[in-house]
């Protein structure tokens, strides 16, 4: 139960479909009522000012009161979060944008923003007393889980597509994880995880199948506000696979509003979900060409993190797009490479194809007039390009 001195304001969990309450103080997976993700709630109504931020801690853990870890002794950290928010002046000038920003999540431990979610989920796994964790992954989440489980002394089983670039597999081996390769996409890996873990011996940390990766990812939203001195961009573009970042950042904005951390007149950003043309289930549903993603067929893409044909959080992502007046854009493989060249040659950033897709989506939306040149635009680069060598080597000059 909650230690009296716990810094966390965690109060309950609720079903993301019907709102039914669940205990936040025992191990939970998806909701038993609707079989959908559970979401963490905090007591936000007692005064909780921005002075709770631990400014001496340059990591996502600086927002401890708004995070779900009850006992700080269970924290499993490699220094994740509080990544740089960079201006992109050369690309902005070229495209006549007045303010173009990029949050560089490629500078996280293990090279992607997955570090945030897995640091949080593995910390909670340790707090709740599990023996080990298992995950289906397109690459980065598996690497991050392997690293944090090693640090926590927990067993780690990672199931990834056989076509995943070698760097992801190799890094998992060095962290001592057991790696199983599957022919297919992350959805096929998910089926294999369910089969392998039928007895529930390991905690399945698939995207949104436990409530705490989302809490790690939401810290991006807090950081963006803090780094912009408590203002927010007009438009935020995010590469959506399973969607935890999109959902988490939006959750952080709502929490900050409830806390009074944002000026009452603050307009929340329009949220843009960026997908790969090769695998864009959200776009197809958003455009009304299918009722939902259940029967969607996707194919592999250079942006491995976007090859998620059946995201469990689809309804939650669509809600964010609706509430924020956002939209969905899909980007071709060739355009991702062009975006990597832009960010590399103009700004000195070697980004993951997912991050490059986000920049190309901004260009596309500028072209259609959906995005205005005088708006503040924030790009999320979710990963470091170095791990994608098998996908992109030799393509720097077309
Ligand atoms: C996992 C991943 C994504 C997609 O993140 P979701 O939270 O699943 O939407 C985007 N970019 C990279 C580099 C990733 O590893
Ligand atoms: Zn429910």
């Amino acid at each position: 139960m909650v230690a009296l001195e716990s810094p966390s304001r965690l109060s309950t969990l609720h079903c993301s479909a019907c709102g039914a309450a669940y205990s936040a103080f025992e191990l939970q997976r998806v909701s038993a009522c609707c079989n959908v993700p559970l979401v963490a709630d905090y007591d936000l109504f007692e005064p909780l000012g921005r002075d709770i931020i631990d400014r001496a801690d340059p990591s996502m853990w600086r927002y401890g009161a708004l995070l779900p870890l009850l006992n700080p002794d269970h924290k499993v950290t490699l220094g994740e979060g509080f990544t740089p928010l960079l201006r992109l002046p050369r690309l902005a000038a070229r495209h006549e944008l007045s303010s173009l920003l990029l949050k560089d999540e490629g500078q996280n431990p293990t090279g992607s923003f997955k570090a945030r979610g897995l640091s949080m989920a593995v910390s909670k796994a340790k707090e709740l007393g599990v023996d080990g964790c298992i995950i289906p992954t397109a690459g980065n989440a598996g690497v991050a889980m392997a690293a944090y489980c090693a640090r926590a002394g927990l067993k780690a089983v990672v199931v990834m597509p056989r076509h995943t670039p070698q760097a992801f597999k190799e890094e998992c081996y060095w962290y001592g994880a057991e790696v199983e390769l599957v022919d297919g996409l992350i959805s096929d890996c998910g089926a294999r995880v369910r089969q392998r873990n039928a007895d529930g011996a390991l905690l399945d940390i698939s995207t949104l199948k436990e409530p705490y990766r989302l809490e790690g990812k939401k810290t991006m939203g807090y950081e963006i506000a803090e780094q912009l001195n408590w203002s927010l961009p007009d438009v935020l573009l995010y590469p959506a696979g399973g969607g935890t970042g999109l959902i988490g950042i939006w959750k952080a904005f709502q929490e900050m509003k409830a806390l009074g951390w944002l000026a009452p007149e603050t307009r929340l950003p329009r949220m843009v979900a960026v997908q790969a043309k090769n695998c864009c289930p959200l776009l197809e549903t958003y455009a009304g060409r299918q009722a939902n993603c259940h029967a969607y067929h996707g194919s592999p893409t250079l942006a491995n993190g976007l090859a998620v044909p059946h995201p469990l959080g689809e309804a939650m992502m669509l809600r964010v797009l609706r509430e924020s007046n956002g939209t969905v854009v899909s980007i071709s493989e060739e355009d991702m490479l062009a975006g990597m060249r832009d960010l590399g040659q103009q700004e000195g950033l070697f980004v993951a194809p997912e991050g490059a897709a986000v920049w190309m989506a901004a260009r596309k939306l500028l072209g259609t007039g959906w995005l205005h040149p005088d708006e503040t635009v924030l790009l999320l680069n979710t990963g470091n390009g170095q791990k994608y060598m098998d996908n992109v080597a030799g393509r720097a000059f077309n």
Side-chain angles (χ1 to χ4, degrees):
M1 302 291 104
V2 197
L4 277 178
E5 68 279 14
S6 175
S8 173
R9 288 286 189 94
L10 181 67
S11 58
T12 53
L13 301 171
H14 73 264
C15 168
S16 60
C18 75
Y22 287 78
S23 167
F25 305 108
E26 51 195 81
L27 193 59
Q28 303 280 8
R29 295 173 174 89
V30 291
S31 71
C33 46
C34 306
N35 203 30
V36 296
L38 287 171
V39 178
D41 297 312
Y42 298 79
D43 279 324
L44 300 183
F45 298 105
E46 276 174 64
L48 196 60
R50 298 195 300 231
D51 57 344
I52 61 107
I53 299 171
D54 179 0
R55 287 170 201 273
D57 182 352
S59 82
M60 71 174 193
W61 294 94
R62 65 206 270 112
Y63 309 104
L66 299 160
L67 299 177
L69 195 68
L70 304 178
N71 180 348
D73 293 344
H74 297 134
K75 188 188 296 180
V76 185
T77 180
L78 292 163
E80 51 292 327
F82 219 60
T83 53
L85 187 60
L86 304 170
R87 297 204 164 269
L88 304 183
R90 288 167 53 85
L91 283 178
R94 265 198 175 195
H95 295 271
E96 295 175 350
L97 273 161
S98 59
S99 182
L100 182 62
L101 303 162
L102 179 142
K103 189 155 174 67
D104 193 8
E105 291 291 304
Q107 297 192 37
N108 272 301
T110 72
S112 85
F113 76 150
K114 294 292 196 305
R116 295 177 189 265
L118 274 303
S119 170
M120 189 61 68
V122 172
S123 296
K124 284 299 290 184
K126 192 173 159 188
E127 181 157 270
L128 292 162
V130 313
D131 297 325
C133 302
I134 186 168
I135 195 168
T137 176
N140 277 316
V143 171
M145 193 196 83
Y148 288 99
C149 280
R151 199 154 167 84
L154 298 178
K155 178 181 165 66
V157 178
V158 175
V159 183
M160 64 170 84
R162 198 175 301 282
H163 67 256
T164 309
Q166 188 61 26
F168 294 102
K169 300 172 192 163
E170 192 65 33
E171 195 170 338
C172 289
Y173 298 139
W174 285 95
Y175 293 131
E178 182 185 333
V179 178
E180 183 174 336
L181 303 176
V182 165
D183 293 307
L185 293 179
I186 191 171
S187 41
D188 304 293
C189 298
R192 176 63 188 140
V193 162
R194 286 193 292 281
Q195 185 184 44
R196 245 197 99 136
N197 196 44
D199 63 356
L202 301 171
L203 178 63
D204 179 353
I205 356 196
S206 303
T207 297
L208 295 169
K209 286 202 174 167
E210 60 72 52
Y212 300 119
R213 276 174 68 185
L214 182 64
E215 295 304 294
K217 291 273 188 87
K218 86 177 178 190
T219 56
M220 289 185 287
Y222 281 94
E223 289 175 22
I224 288 165
E226 186 181 350
Q227 290 172 317
L228 291 174
N229 199 22
W230 308 104
S231 69
L232 292 175
D234 297 304
V235 176
L236 192 154
L237 295 98
Y238 172 86
T244 40
L246 186 79
I247 300 160
I249 292 170
W250 191 245
K251 180 175 193 276
F253 293 161
Q254 306 297 332
E255 288 175 1
M256 285 187 284
K257 254 173 94 172
L259 286 161
W261 288 15
L262 301 171
E265 68 276 10
T266 306
R267 282 236 308 251
L268 300 187
R270 312 205 295 292
M271 304 288 282
V272 181
V274 181
Q275 300 212 292
K277 276 217 157 71
N278 283 1
C279 190
C280 52
L282 196 64
L283 176 66
E284 292 303 297
T285 305
Y286 184 80
R289 290 188 286 267
Q290 59 185 17
N292 59 50
C293 66
H294 296 328
Y296 183 81
H297 287 285
S299 41
T301 155
L302 297 173
N304 300 81
L306 302 187
V308 184
H310 310 137
L312 184 63
E314 180 181 44
M316 297 168 83
M317 286 195 270
L318 291 169
R319 199 183 307 156
V320 172
L321 301 179
R322 196 168 57 240
E323 288 175 4
S324 73
N325 291 312
T327 191
V328 193
V329 176
S330 72
I331 299 297
S332 70
E333 303 291 291
E334 275 310 318
D335 277 356
M336 288 178 201
L337 292 167
M340 286 182 70
R341 288 181 205 111
D342 268 359
L343 286 157
Q345 295 168 17
Q346 300 299 318
E347 300 286 0
L349 293 167
F350 188 42
V351 301
E354 291 87 341
V358 158
W359 162 236
M360 296 308 279
R363 286 182 56 174
K364 225 168 156 171
L365 292 172
L366 261 176
T368 64
W370 190 91
L371 203 157
H372 304 280
D374 58 346
E375 292 185 298
T376 300
V377 178
L378 191 148
L379 314 174
L380 256 152
N381 172 44
T382 43
N384 189 310
Q386 288 167 14
K387 297 224 176 113
Y388 295 75
M389 217 47 82
D390 299 354
N391 292 355
V392 306
R395 308 295 300 276
F397 306 103
N398 281 304

